[in-house]
Amino acid sequence: MTARPALPDARGRFGLYGGRYVPEVLIPALDELAAAWAELREDPGFRGELDALLRDYVGRPSPLTYAARLSDALGYRIYLKREDLNHTGAHKINNTLGQVLLAKRLGKSRVIAETGAGQHGVATATAAALFGLPCVVYMGEEDTHRQAPNVERMRLLGAEVIPVTAGQRTLKEAINEAMRDWAATVRHTHYVFGTAAGPSPFPALVRDLQRVIGDEAREQFREAEGRDPDAVVACVGGGSNAIGTFAAFIGAPGVTLYGIEAGGRGAGVGEHCRSLTLGEPGVLHGAYSYLLQDADGQVAATHSISAGLDYPGVGPEHSYLKDAGLARYEAATDREALEGFRALATLEGILPALEPAHAIGWLLRRPLPEGSRVLVCLSGRGDKDLETVRRALAAAEGAGA
Amino acid sequence: MPDLEAVLRARREAGGRAFVPYVTGGLPGVTPDLLRGLAEAGADAIEVGIPFSDPVMDGGVIQEASRRALEAGARPLEVVATVAEAGLDLPVVLMTYYNPVLRLGEERFLEEAVAAGVAGVIVPDLPVDEAAGWRERCLARGVAAVFLAAPGSSPERFREIAAAARGFVYCVSTYGVTGEREELAGTAEEVVAALRPLTDVPLLVGVGIGTPEQAAAACASADGATVGSAIVRRLLAEDPAGALRLARAFRDAVPR
């Protein structure tokens, strides 16, 4: 394996990308968080507490499932890393338990979060309940409708859910509002950032906490196949499940990493969330990274059938991996995601979340050589999406009739 | 173009305090006439915002003003053109987020700003440690790169900000985003007190100053006050005359 410099560097950069472009009032909290994580990430006490929670509360290690019928249908050997089987139904809990533990160590008495699909909100509300901290979750109003079951879950877990009515009323606006809350409450509040984006140290912190996905999967894959996969595939919105999976494989010989963005309904402005494949570098939410924006630097509108991928930016490490040729980025459309959803449901008996359904949908194109050994991060389960899928399938059938 | 720092220092040396109103450029009603009106109301300098789609440092009023400005088709260089057209003989400071600057390119942005007679630029999401190149470019073109200082910063951080300061230091009065508050936060004085021994550059308090009384209180220790949301709120209500009246009331409260 080629030796790579440890990233990010001291300035929170992954090559050109990352940094911390935030108002001055947040700098002390980011400094404090970075220092705490530098100290605790290798601390046996902290690690032990987190590992015990991941085992006894989340149910880790999550299984690696051989998808036999899907494999037969496509001519690959496909393994699914089952983050959908985690407590709360997605990979998000890996991050929130770590961050809430960290918040406790920092003496913070309140946590806030943003959420798109609601999975991160549920995972934060869960961790907050477990540790007895009050929790406020900002969620775009549009997302509170399309992911209504998760709003109920958060409220039942004792969190306050605040619908955000600005702009497109989705994830981007939820992050804006959470950052405003944090600016006002930063002395006693920790912002549990949900994806591997945002100002430094969040991209590295979230990656480190999600890396358990890739580390487990690599070991499990070697046990099953006696070797590493040829391809590792994960969906990318902000990119936390992808970076957590990729982290164990970056630079591994013979392994190609594929990040699948939400292709929405087309390549026109406002029709997709393809920041890496159609965007240009810019600054949003504290980091320099690929971004969907107009000629004036205004952030562009986005669309995806999946709320969790509906975001115009992306974590800075993905931008670095793209430019360095260390990972490849592709897109799957809404329709392909639905096909992926249906394929996994009918061939494997698994209802995936619409986010990882993009990764499955992309594989349905058979983009890899015959016989490829493939690891897919199945980042979450599809219960939250049943209404969206039902409507989309009904509309597609109506249009096809 | 009048020198921002020189103008603010002159005000201080004469025993007065500076009054610096903010308006969102591109918002319908924010015309060259309105800028001239603010000058006539006694502003020492004027901050003109270039609206951004995701203003995380701003509260409800300026968010709404930014939204309306963008909806009306506001573009960065048109806002700069409005400044040029106003032909003011007081310093104008542009305030915008980093991405519009980056998109145009720091160099091109500054070139256009200088051509329009702009004296300074505030980029609230570009803290000193990300601004090495920006500071050099601003210095080379004689534009003041204004930085924010906020409550809670470490002494080391205050030193860094003081060392970088040009034009004035924008002392954020409180934890939080722009917008009027019931009371002026006590933290305003703390930020000013922390910076005072570190720099001779004028210290202006901003964020959360909603009334002339609060501006006067802030000016007990600071060298001036910047006022945004209270004025912009009148503009959102399509009451430019009210905005100018309020500006005059602020001017009267802030000693000349």
Side-chain angles (χ1 to χ4, degrees):
Chain A
M1 198 185 298
T2 46
R4 292 191 315 128
L7 293 176
D9 65 19
R11 296 184 58 242
R13 296 271 171 175
F14 303 86
L16 292 174
Y17 301 104
R20 43 178 203 183
Y21 298 88
V22 294
E24 187 63 30
V25 70
L26 294 180
I27 296 285
L30 295 174
D31 278 340
E32 177 188 53
L33 190 60
W37 184 236
E39 190 191 317
L40 291 176
R41 59 179 287 187
E42 308 291 350
D43 178 78
F46 182 86
R47 214 45 257 188
E49 195 176 350
L50 180 56
D51 287 346
L53 280 168
L54 291 175
R55 184 186 64 230
D56 304 333
Y57 187 70
V58 176
R60 301 206 74 92
S62 63
L64 186 74
T65 301
Y66 179 61
R69 297 186 65 212
L70 183 67
S71 293
D72 287 349
L74 296 178
Y76 302 145
R77 293 186 61 76
I78 299 172
Y79 289 82
L80 307 171
K81 179 58 174 164
R82 300 294 304 279
E83 295 300 298
D84 61 316
L85 294 179
N86 291 341
H87 178 45
T88 72
H91 70 293
K92 294 295 189 186
I93 191 85
N94 304 328
N95 172 42
T96 61
L97 284 173
Q99 283 203 45
V100 172
L101 261 184
L102 201 52
K104 288 290 264 194
R105 294 284 184 114
L106 289 170
K108 304 286 181 179
S109 59
R110 170 179 178 262
V111 293
I112 59 171
E114 84 293 343
T115 197
Q119 292 301 121
H120 175 60
V122 167
T124 305
T126 298
L130 185 64
F131 287 98
L133 292 177
C135 174
V136 171
V137 179
Y138 292 92
M139 187 170 189
E141 195 194 27
E142 163 76 13
D143 292 338
T144 63
H145 298 311
R146 54 179 171 172
Q147 312 278 211
N150 274 344
V151 176
E152 278 314 305
R153 292 165 79 197
M154 286 183 266
R155 288 188 171 139
L156 289 169
L157 288 161
E160 182 187 355
V161 179
I162 301 184
V164 179
T165 56
Q168 259 187 248
R169 306 173 181 217
T170 58
L171 179 57
K172 178 183 70 137
E173 289 77 19
I175 295 178
N176 290 347
E177 209 50 38
M179 287 182 88
R180 292 183 187 114
D181 178 314
W182 204 31
T185 59
V186 63
R187 280 163 296 176
H188 64 273
T189 293
H190 174 67
Y191 179 9
V192 183
F193 206 83
T195 191
S200 179
F202 283 112
L205 169 61
V206 176
R207 174 202 61 197
D208 292 349
L209 291 169
Q210 291 294 2
R211 191 192 160 108
V212 65
I213 304 172
D215 286 339
E216 285 178 9
R218 190 170 191 186
E219 200 183 311
Q220 290 166 322
F221 201 99
R222 284 177 165 182
E223 215 160 279
E225 286 284 313
R227 44 165 287 180
D228 280 335
D230 300 305
V232 175
V233 187
C235 62
V236 179
S240 71
N241 91 86
I243 207 69
T245 310
F246 291 178
F249 294 97
I250 293 168
V255 182
T256 308
L257 308 176
Y258 293 94
I260 311 302
E261 296 194 301
R265 50 171 98 93
V269 174
E271 294 186 326
H272 58 83
C273 307
R274 299 176 57 181
S275 39
L276 287 159
T277 49
L278 291 176
E280 291 177 78
V283 168
L284 176 69
H285 295 147
Y288 180 62
S289 195
Y290 279 89
L291 177 64
L292 294 168
Q293 54 184 323
D294 71 10
D296 290 342
Q298 309 295 349
V299 178
T302 51
H303 162 81
S304 171
I305 191 170
S306 63
L309 303 182
D310 199 346
Y311 184 60
V314 67
E317 191 165 5
H318 286 293
S319 294
Y320 164 77
L321 294 176
K322 174 192 156 83
D323 283 9
L326 290 165
R328 296 186 192 176
Y329 295 90
E330 309 268 349
T333 63
D334 286 354
R335 184 185 296 250
E336 288 176 309
L338 281 168
E339 284 164 10
F341 182 98
R342 269 216 283 215
L344 213 59
T346 56
L347 294 174
E348 300 295 339
I350 296 169
L351 297 176
L354 279 171
E355 289 79 11
H358 284 73
I360 306 293
W362 179 75
L363 279 175
L364 295 182
R365 288 188 206 162
R366 298 182 207 227
L368 303 171
E370 179 86 26
S372 291
R373 292 171 171 84
V374 185
L375 169 67
V376 179
C377 181
L378 192 62
S379 56
R381 68 183 182 217
D383 312 40
K384 69 187 176 57
D385 293 318
L386 296 186
E387 182 58 20
T388 304
V389 170
R390 189 190 62 75
R391 269 195 232 161
L393 291 178
E397 274 155 28
Chain B
M1 113 181 104
D3 183 89
L4 176 63
E5 195 168 318
V7 165
L8 299 177
R9 278 176 187 277
R11 174 66 72 195
R12 178 172 66 190
E13 276 150 27
R17 300 286 184 269
F19 163 57
V20 181
Y22 163 95
V23 290
T24 303
L27 177 68
V30 177
T31 58
D33 271 345
L34 182 90
L35 299 183
R36 285 189 285 264
L38 288 169
E40 281 156 22
D44 290 282
I46 301 176
E47 290 173 16
V48 178
I50 292 176
F52 179 52
S53 53
D54 294 271
V56 296
M57 169 79 191
D58 287 302
V61 169
I62 292 171
Q63 281 178 51
E64 176 62 11
S66 304
R67 190 191 66 77
R68 281 202 215 169
L70 290 173
E71 201 175 76
R75 305 199 59 187
L77 293 183
E78 286 169 12
V79 172
V80 174
T82 305
V83 171
E85 200 186 326
L88 303 168
D89 55 12
L90 51 69
V92 172
V93 184
L94 293 175
M95 186 159 187
T96 190
Y97 288 82
Y98 189 48
N99 203 48
V101 175
L102 191 62
R103 190 67 171 158
L104 211 52
E106 290 182 357
E107 199 63 53
R108 169 87 199 284
F109 182 89
L110 287 171
E111 188 183 315
E112 298 283 347
V114 167
V118 165
V121 185
I122 309 171
V123 187
D125 60 345
L126 189 69
V128 276
D129 38 345
E130 297 289 359
W134 172 246
R135 283 166 59 190
E136 269 176 40
R137 288 192 180 92
C138 287
L139 212 53
R141 292 193 176 268
V143 173
V146 175
F147 290 99
L148 276 61
S153 289
S154 63
E156 189 183 323
R157 192 82 193 165
F158 277 125
R159 272 195 296 278
E160 226 178 306
I161 293 164
R166 295 286 184 281
F168 65 92
V169 180
Y170 192 118
C171 301
V172 175
S173 79
T174 184
Y175 290 93
V177 295
T178 62
E180 300 151 81
R181 308 284 200 282
E182 293 275 312
E183 281 176 46
L184 180 69
T187 38
E189 217 172 282
E190 290 170 25
V191 175
V192 171
L195 281 166
R196 190 64 84 191
L198 303 174
T199 178
D200 188 37
V201 170
L203 307 176
L204 271 56
V205 169
V207 175
I209 297 182
T211 65
E213 294 71 32
Q214 289 170 345
C219 286
S221 59
D223 301 318
T226 79
V227 180
S229 296
I231 290 170
V232 173
R233 193 154 55 80
R234 268 69 176 183
L235 297 173
L236 287 176
E238 294 174 39
D239 181 17
L244 292 176
R245 264 199 310 280
L246 184 66
R248 280 191 293 273
F250 272 105
R251 176 70 273 179
D252 290 343
V254 174
R256 273 184 201 259

mmCIF file of all heavy atoms in Angstrom, chain B residues 152-177:
data_model
loop_
_atom_site.group_PDB
_atom_site.id
_atom_site.type_symbol
_atom_site.label_atom_id
_atom_site.label_comp_id
_atom_site.label_asym_id
_atom_site.label_seq_id
_atom_site.Cartn_x
_atom_site.Cartn_y
_atom_site.Cartn_z
ATOM 1 N N GLY B 152 -15.852 35.188 23.681
ATOM 2 C CA GLY B 152 -15.419 33.797 23.845
ATOM 3 C C GLY B 152 -14.080 33.488 23.208
ATOM 4 O O GLY B 152 -13.555 32.387 23.360
ATOM 5 N N SER B 153 -13.539 34.443 22.440
ATOM 6 C CA SER B 153 -12.256 34.169 21.786
ATOM 7 C C SER B 153 -11.131 34.119 22.816
ATOM 8 O O SER B 153 -11.182 34.801 23.840
ATOM 9 C CB SER B 153 -11.943 35.249 20.749
ATOM 10 O OG SER B 153 -12.801 35.116 19.654
ATOM 11 N N SER B 154 -10.115 33.346 22.503
ATOM 12 C CA SER B 154 -8.957 33.252 23.390
ATOM 13 C C SER B 154 -8.119 34.523 23.247
ATOM 14 O O SER B 154 -8.187 35.204 22.222
ATOM 15 C CB SER B 154 -8.119 32.042 23.002
ATOM 16 O OG SER B 154 -7.630 32.210 21.687
ATOM 17 N N PRO B 155 -7.310 34.833 24.253
ATOM 18 C CA PRO B 155 -6.419 36.000 24.155
ATOM 19 C C PRO B 155 -5.527 35.920 22.908
ATOM 20 O O PRO B 155 -5.300 36.917 22.229
ATOM 21 C CB PRO B 155 -5.573 35.908 25.424
ATOM 22 C CG PRO B 155 -6.406 35.137 26.397
ATOM 23 C CD PRO B 155 -7.218 34.179 25.572
ATOM 24 N N GLU B 156 -5.079 34.707 22.602
ATOM 25 C CA GLU B 156 -4.232 34.504 21.432
ATOM 26 C C GLU B 156 -4.964 34.885 20.148
ATOM 27 O O GLU B 156 -4.421 35.516 19.242
ATOM 28 C CB GLU B 156 -3.860 33.026 21.403
ATOM 29 C CG GLU B 156 -2.822 32.619 20.414
ATOM 30 C CD GLU B 156 -2.640 31.098 20.477
ATOM 31 O OE1 GLU B 156 -2.708 30.541 21.611
ATOM 32 O OE2 GLU B 156 -2.495 30.480 19.423
ATOM 33 N N ARG B 157 -6.217 34.505 20.105
ATOM 34 C CA ARG B 157 -7.071 34.801 18.961
ATOM 35 C C ARG B 157 -7.286 36.316 18.823
ATOM 36 O O ARG B 157 -7.249 36.860 17.733
ATOM 37 C CB ARG B 157 -8.400 34.076 19.197
ATOM 38 C CG ARG B 157 -9.307 34.027 18.034
ATOM 39 C CD ARG B 157 -8.946 32.930 17.078
ATOM 40 N NE ARG B 157 -9.687 33.155 15.852
ATOM 41 C CZ ARG B 157 -9.428 32.567 14.705
ATOM 42 N NH1 ARG B 157 -8.444 31.712 14.617
ATOM 43 N NH2 ARG B 157 -10.138 32.834 13.646
ATOM 44 N N PHE B 158 -7.549 36.961 19.948
ATOM 45 C CA PHE B 158 -7.727 38.420 19.910
ATOM 46 C C PHE B 158 -6.457 39.092 19.381
ATOM 47 O O PHE B 158 -6.530 40.042 18.613
ATOM 48 C CB PHE B 158 -8.062 38.965 21.310
ATOM 49 C CG PHE B 158 -9.528 38.858 21.673
ATOM 50 C CD1 PHE B 158 -9.919 38.202 22.832
ATOM 51 C CD2 PHE B 158 -10.509 39.413 20.868
ATOM 52 C CE1 PHE B 158 -11.261 38.097 23.175
ATOM 53 C CE2 PHE B 158 -11.861 39.323 21.199
ATOM 54 C CZ PHE B 158 -12.230 38.659 22.368
ATOM 55 N N ARG B 159 -5.298 38.558 19.778
ATOM 56 C CA ARG B 159 -4.044 39.132 19.290
ATOM 57 C C ARG B 159 -3.918 38.986 17.779
ATOM 58 O O ARG B 159 -3.491 39.894 17.082
ATOM 59 C CB ARG B 159 -2.839 38.470 19.988
ATOM 60 C CG ARG B 159 -2.457 39.148 21.296
ATOM 61 C CD ARG B 159 -1.070 38.724 21.771
ATOM 62 N NE ARG B 159 -1.013 37.313 22.095
ATOM 63 C CZ ARG B 159 -1.413 36.783 23.251
ATOM 64 N NH1 ARG B 159 -1.893 37.564 24.200
ATOM 65 N NH2 ARG B 159 -1.338 35.486 23.474
ATOM 66 N N GLU B 160 -4.310 37.809 17.297
ATOM 67 C CA GLU B 160 -4.240 37.552 15.856
ATOM 68 C C GLU B 160 -5.140 38.521 15.083
ATOM 69 O O GLU B 160 -4.760 39.072 14.048
ATOM 70 C CB GLU B 160 -4.740 36.118 15.609
ATOM 71 C CG GLU B 160 -3.890 35.285 14.686
ATOM 72 C CD GLU B 160 -4.475 33.875 14.579
ATOM 73 O OE1 GLU B 160 -4.683 33.217 15.625
ATOM 74 O OE2 GLU B 160 -4.746 33.463 13.447
ATOM 75 N N ILE B 161 -6.359 38.711 15.612
ATOM 76 C CA ILE B 161 -7.320 39.605 14.958
ATOM 77 C C ILE B 161 -6.803 41.047 15.004
ATOM 78 O O ILE B 161 -6.864 41.773 14.011
ATOM 79 C CB ILE B 161 -8.703 39.486 15.631
ATOM 80 C CG1 ILE B 161 -9.289 38.092 15.361
ATOM 81 C CG2 ILE B 161 -9.648 40.576 15.139
ATOM 82 C CD1 ILE B 161 -10.442 37.716 16.265
ATOM 83 N N ALA B 162 -6.261 41.419 16.151
ATOM 84 C CA ALA B 162 -5.740 42.784 16.302
ATOM 85 C C ALA B 162 -4.606 43.031 15.310
ATOM 86 O O ALA B 162 -4.519 44.088 14.693
ATOM 87 C CB ALA B 162 -5.265 43.011 17.735
ATOM 88 N N ALA B 163 -3.749 42.018 15.139
ATOM 89 C CA ALA B 163 -2.611 42.180 14.234
ATOM 90 C C ALA B 163 -3.071 42.309 12.781
ATOM 91 O O ALA B 163 -2.442 42.979 11.976
ATOM 92 C CB ALA B 163 -1.662 40.989 14.384
ATOM 93 N N ALA B 164 -4.187 41.670 12.463
ATOM 94 C CA ALA B 164 -4.679 41.691 11.082
ATOM 95 C C ALA B 164 -5.550 42.919 10.800
ATOM 96 O O ALA B 164 -5.834 43.227 9.649
ATOM 97 C CB ALA B 164 -5.491 40.423 10.813
ATOM 98 N N ALA B 165 -5.959 43.618 11.850
ATOM 99 C CA ALA B 165 -7.011 44.633 11.719
ATOM 100 C C ALA B 165 -6.623 45.787 10.803
ATOM 101 O O ALA B 165 -5.533 46.343 10.899
ATOM 102 C CB ALA B 165 -7.378 45.163 13.101
ATOM 103 N N ARG B 166 -7.532 46.108 9.889
ATOM 104 C CA ARG B 166 -7.421 47.289 9.026
ATOM 105 C C ARG B 166 -8.813 47.903 8.941
ATOM 106 O O ARG B 166 -9.805 47.178 8.903
ATOM 107 C CB ARG B 166 -6.986 46.921 7.607
ATOM 108 C CG ARG B 166 -5.588 46.342 7.500
ATOM 109 C CD ARG B 166 -4.514 47.425 7.674
ATOM 110 N NE ARG B 166 -3.185 46.902 7.473
ATOM 111 C CZ ARG B 166 -2.490 46.205 8.382
ATOM 112 N NH1 ARG B 166 -3.031 45.930 9.556
ATOM 113 N NH2 ARG B 166 -1.285 45.777 8.118
ATOM 114 N N GLY B 167 -8.865 49.221 8.884
ATOM 115 C CA GLY B 167 -10.168 49.888 8.775
ATOM 116 C C GLY B 167 -10.816 50.000 10.141
ATOM 117 O O GLY B 167 -10.801 51.048 10.761
ATOM 118 N N PHE B 168 -11.393 48.919 10.580
ATOM 119 C CA PHE B 168 -11.889 48.824 11.958
ATOM 120 C C PHE B 168 -12.008 47.352 12.307
ATOM 121 O O PHE B 168 -11.874 46.499 11.431
ATOM 122 C CB PHE B 168 -13.229 49.562 12.140
ATOM 123 C CG PHE B 168 -14.416 49.013 11.385
ATOM 124 C CD1 PHE B 168 -15.263 48.067 11.969
ATOM 125 C CD2 PHE B 168 -14.725 49.457 10.094
ATOM 126 C CE1 PHE B 168 -16.383 47.583 11.279
ATOM 127 C CE2 PHE B 168 -15.831 48.979 9.411
ATOM 128 C CZ PHE B 168 -16.657 48.040 10.005
ATOM 129 N N VAL B 169 -12.214 47.065 13.589
ATOM 130 C CA VAL B 169 -12.539 45.702 13.983
ATOM 131 C C VAL B 169 -14.039 45.659 14.244
ATOM 132 O O VAL B 169 -14.584 46.513 14.960
ATOM 133 C CB VAL B 169 -11.772 45.255 15.243
ATOM 134 C CG1 VAL B 169 -12.164 43.818 15.608
ATOM 135 C CG2 VAL B 169 -10.278 45.357 15.022
ATOM 136 N N TYR B 170 -14.696 44.700 13.626
ATOM 137 C CA TYR B 170 -16.132 44.528 13.811
ATOM 138 C C TYR B 170 -16.311 43.671 15.066
ATOM 139 O O TYR B 170 -16.122 42.461 15.036
ATOM 140 C CB TYR B 170 -16.714 43.824 12.576
ATOM 141 C CG TYR B 170 -18.213 43.821 12.491
ATOM 142 C CD1 TYR B 170 -18.872 44.455 11.437
ATOM 143 C CD2 TYR B 170 -18.998 43.158 13.445
ATOM 144 C CE1 TYR B 170 -20.250 44.452 11.337
ATOM 145 C CE2 TYR B 170 -20.376 43.149 13.361
ATOM 146 C CZ TYR B 170 -20.999 43.798 12.303
ATOM 147 O OH TYR B 170 -22.357 43.792 12.211
ATOM 148 N N CYS B 171 -16.633 44.335 16.173
ATOM 149 C CA CYS B 171 -16.756 43.628 17.447
ATOM 150 C C CYS B 171 -18.183 43.098 17.605
ATOM 151 O O CYS B 171 -19.121 43.884 17.808
ATOM 152 C CB CYS B 171 -16.434 44.562 18.606
ATOM 153 S SG CYS B 171 -14.772 45.239 18.519
ATOM 154 N N VAL B 172 -18.340 41.796 17.463
ATOM 155 C CA VAL B 172 -19.671 41.193 17.576
ATOM 156 C C VAL B 172 -20.093 41.276 19.042
ATOM 157 O O VAL B 172 -19.388 40.799 19.930
ATOM 158 C CB VAL B 172 -19.636 39.740 17.069
ATOM 159 C CG1 VAL B 172 -20.977 39.057 17.288
ATOM 160 C CG2 VAL B 172 -19.256 39.713 15.593
ATOM 161 N N SER B 173 -21.248 41.905 19.269
ATOM 162 C CA SER B 173 -21.630 42.255 20.646
ATOM 163 C C SER B 173 -22.025 41.049 21.475
ATOM 164 O O SER B 173 -21.946 41.074 22.688
ATOM 165 C CB SER B 173 -22.798 43.243 20.617
ATOM 166 O OG SER B 173 -24.017 42.549 20.372
ATOM 167 N N THR B 174 -22.467 39.983 20.811
ATOM 168 C CA THR B 174 -23.112 38.923 21.573
ATOM 169 C C THR B 174 -22.950 37.583 20.880
ATOM 170 O O THR B 174 -22.541 37.526 19.725
ATOM 171 C CB THR B 174 -24.616 39.254 21.742
ATOM 172 O OG1 THR B 174 -25.213 38.264 22.574
ATOM 173 C CG2 THR B 174 -25.347 39.259 20.400
ATOM 174 N N TYR B 175 -23.256 36.522 21.586
ATOM 175 C CA TYR B 175 -23.327 35.200 20.965
ATOM 176 C C TYR B 175 -24.567 35.169 20.081
ATOM 177 O O TYR B 175 -25.659 35.480 20.538
ATOM 178 C CB TYR B 175 -23.434 34.116 22.041
ATOM 179 C CG TYR B 175 -22.165 33.939 22.821
ATOM 180 C CD1 TYR B 175 -21.954 34.628 24.003
ATOM 181 C CD2 TYR B 175 -21.169 33.082 22.358
ATOM 182 C CE1 TYR B 175 -20.776 34.470 24.724
ATOM 183 C CE2 TYR B 175 -19.987 32.919 23.066
ATOM 184 C CZ TYR B 175 -19.801 33.612 24.244
ATOM 185 O OH TYR B 175 -18.633 33.452 24.937
ATOM 186 N N GLY B 176 -24.383 34.825 18.825
ATOM 187 C CA GLY B 176 -25.552 34.706 17.963
ATOM 188 C C GLY B 176 -25.387 35.433 16.646
ATOM 189 O O GLY B 176 -24.287 35.825 16.279
ATOM 190 N N VAL B 177 -26.510 35.586 15.958
ATOM 191 C CA VAL B 177 -26.509 36.138 14.609
ATOM 192 C C VAL B 177 -27.069 37.555 14.618
ATOM 193 O O VAL B 177 -27.540 38.032 15.654
ATOM 194 C CB VAL B 177 -27.335 35.234 13.659
ATOM 195 C CG1 VAL B 177 -26.674 33.882 13.510
ATOM 196 C CG2 VAL B 177 -28.773 35.089 14.146
#
